[in-house]
Structure formats: C-alpha cells, structure tokens
Amino acid sequence: MGWAIALHGGAGDIPLSLPPERRLPREETLRRCLRIGVAALKANRPPLDVVELVVRELENCPHFNAGRGSVLTTNATVEMEACIMDGNTKRCGAVSGLSTVVNAISLARLVMEKTPHIYLAFDGAESFAREQGVETRDASHFITPENIERLTQAKAANRVQIDYTQTALEKTPQVSSSNIGDSQIGTVGCVAVDGNGNLAAATSTGGLVNKMVGRIGDTPIIGAGTYANFLCAISATGKGEAIIRATVGRDVAALMEYKGLSLKDAADYVVENSPKGTTGLVAVSATGEVVMAFNTTGMFRACAKEDGSSEIAIWDSIENGDLLLP
C-alpha cells in the first residue's frame, strides 16, 4: 500500500528524432505537474482533488492537446471535452463540445457534484459553465497559430490525425528542420491513489486534428477513455474510436475484478489486443501499483510512488532518450 500517481500527455507516432525544442518543454511540464501531484498527495489531498489539479495544469499548457493547446476541427473551431471519476463511489462527470471554458476538467467535476446527470455537451455544457461562474475566454483564445498550421497540414494530407501523428507533409524531406517532429500534441490525463486505496481518474482533450464538428471521442466516455472503481483508475489516450470500441478503461478493471489479473497483466492484455498504433494508458491500483502501457511509437508519461521511485518517459526504453527524475 501507498500513494501513487501517473499522468500522460498523449500517445501516438512520436518520432525518435523529435527536436529538443519540441520535446523539452513537454517533459518539463510533465515534471512540474508530477511534482504538483506528489505534493498534493503528501498533503493528504483526496485523489479526486489531485487528478483535477494536475489536469488543470496540463490544460493550461499550450504544448498539449487540451485546454489552451486544443487542436482544431475541420471548421477551425475548438471543441474540448473532459471526464473525471471517483473510484470508491463511481461518481463521475463529463463534458464535450466546449469552446470557451478554460478548464474543462473542472466543469466535468461540477457536472458530477452539482447536477443529477453525468454528461453535458455543447450549448448545454456552455450554459452550465456560465451558471456556475467558471472561467471562460473568447473562443479565439484557444485558436493558436501552431494549431492553425497543424490543421492546414492535416487538410493538405486529407486526414484526421491521432495525437502526435505526423502528417504526410511532415514526413517529406522538403520540410524545413524547424517543422520536422512538430507532430501532434496529446490528450492529457492523470490517475492517483492515496495511502488508503482511494482512487480517481481524470482526462481532458481537444480531440483529433481536422475532426468533424460534433465528433465525440473516448475521453468523456466512462469505461473507454476514463474509468475508476475500487480496484484501479485508468486514463487512456490515442485514437478515440478504437478506445471506445475496446472499452479500454472498463476492460482493464473487469479483468482485475473477474479474472483476478494484476493491474500490469490486465493493462498489457487490453493494450496488446487493441489495434496497433491506437492505444496508450496510465493506471494505478488500490495497492499503489503503477502501469503506463501503449502500443504506439511513444507516449509522454510520468509517474511517482510513495516508495520514492519516479519516472518521466516518452519511448520504450532509456536508450531511446527517456528521462528519469532525479
């Protein structure tokens, strides 16, 4: 037993050649957010508070695909979504189609705590945000030059892009070195458990680059991109349609509950049996285990445990450039 925390900044086709100017700010943000989460757990904050706090910080970072850094729809608009869940009670809240809310994850928690519902979307969610007095900004605040460029590249390649997938243009030799490796920024998520085995999960995203207006991914779907119960907490990232079909979050928990698998075995089984290149997740168990699994090229991720171990990583191995916390 003991507290543990894990967070991610998206999974996908992250090239090993990712330039330092693209890689280092994301690693530093993960490091900073991990420290924030660890400090909150050490201060005996409830896991639900911890995951919300960490995801808010990630949403405020333009380097990831959530909040300020959300990618654009085919109409060059932002439609953000988020979900939060408490393991012991299975209380949960989710939102989709947000265009003005600064921290979608906090609105998801308000849906959980202030309404009889679980899921609000689009105009109804925006209206609820105004009623609750959460921070909002004009929609233009979320439309960054970087994401306009990414949308332009995706349209030119005639594709809808998974987090971190490079466009065909980015893979051509003619692209300047400043653009090579500026692959898609990723969905964010956090899972945490305290020393008493209380669990929580939170996930937030802007979705896919060049997605259809109105498209909803796995992030706000309970049991797909986000799930927590008395055994484990999971936050997934990758191609939402594949994660929904596989009910990734719930399947991990079900394998533990009904088959008696360990968190690692359950997570590895679910990820390995998802279509290659589509799925990543971070998970913690009630006993303080941590798993960070993916079948993509890489996944920005970080974790820490009460025993003092901690890690920040992108690819499969230290040899590929992964960094351990000091």
Side-chain angles (χ1 to χ4, degrees), residues 11-310:
D13 183 17
I14 307 173
L16 296 177
S17 59
L18 190 67
E21 64 269 22
R22 306 297 184 188
R23 174 174 55 83
L24 295 176
R26 292 164 181 163
E27 290 175 342
E28 181 51 39
T29 298
L30 290 177
R31 182 176 290 105
R32 178 173 59 83
C33 290
L34 184 62
R35 287 170 176 157
I36 288 170
V38 168
L41 284 168
K42 287 182 175 179
N44 296 316
R45 296 277 298 274
L48 197 67
D49 288 356
V50 174
V51 296
E52 180 189 6
L53 177 65
V54 170
V55 170
R56 281 178 62 94
E57 289 293 320
L58 290 165
E59 288 175 333
N60 293 337
C61 172
H63 301 297
F64 295 110
N65 178 14
R68 182 74 172 93
S70 293
V71 297
L72 304 180
T73 70
T74 188
N75 286 0
T77 56
V78 167
E79 292 182 354
M80 299 172 281
E81 49 194 20
C83 183
I84 192 167
M85 188 166 187
D86 177 73
N88 282 347
T89 64
K90 292 189 180 177
R91 295 178 69 206
C92 48
V95 289
S96 283
L98 301 179
S99 59
T100 69
V101 175
V102 173
N103 292 113
I105 195 64
S106 292
L107 187 65
R109 184 168 182 178
L110 287 170
V111 171
M112 179 184 77
E113 295 180 338
K114 302 292 186 181
T115 81
H117 308 303
I118 289 174
Y119 197 162
L120 293 179
F122 296 93
D123 289 347
E126 288 281 346
S127 177
F128 178 65
R130 291 190 293 271
E131 291 171 6
Q132 294 298 312
V134 302
E135 184 181 0
T136 59
R137 299 287 294 270
D138 186 84
S140 61
H141 168 75
F142 302 94
I143 301 175
T144 65
E146 292 81 5
N147 281 328
I148 291 173
E149 180 182 359
R150 291 181 178 107
L151 177 61
T152 300
Q153 293 175 337
K155 283 180 174 291
N158 192 29
R159 69 190 296 175
V160 176
Q161 289 184 194
I162 186 177
D163 295 342
Y164 288 109
T165 298
Q166 299 177 88
T167 67
L169 291 179
E170 286 176 307
K171 293 180 179 179
T172 61
Q174 290 77 19
V175 178
S176 67
S177 61
S178 62
N179 287 332
I180 292 175
D182 189 17
S183 49
Q184 291 320 300
I185 51 181
T187 293
V188 303
C190 181
V191 291
V193 60
D194 65 16
N196 297 315
N198 300 304
L199 292 145
T203 317
S204 183
T205 189
L208 299 176
V209 184
N210 200 27
K211 66 181 180 180
M212 292 176 64
V213 172
R215 179 263 187 185
I216 292 171
D218 66 289
T219 289
I221 305 299
I222 302 301
T226 309
Y227 191 72
N229 67 3
F230 69 99
L231 289 170
C232 60
I234 300 103
S235 175
T237 174
K239 186 169 177 55
E241 284 73 12
I243 292 169
I244 292 170
R245 291 187 189 103
T247 57
V248 164
R250 176 57 187 156
D251 270 19
V252 173
L255 286 168
M256 294 180 69
E257 184 172 0
Y258 302 128
K259 289 288 190 179
L261 268 62
S262 68
L263 177 66
K264 183 181 187 310
D265 288 345
D268 286 348
Y269 179 86
V270 170
V271 171
E272 289 170 6
N273 283 275
S274 297
K276 185 171 178 58
T278 66
T279 305
L281 63 82
V282 295
V284 293
S285 73
T287 57
E289 300 167 280
V290 174
V291 172
M292 302 187 291
F294 54 97
N295 65 16
T296 55
T297 304
M299 179 173 73
F300 277 97
R301 61 201 190 273
C303 69
K305 299 173 66 174
E306 189 170 347
D307 64 11
S309 61
S310 60

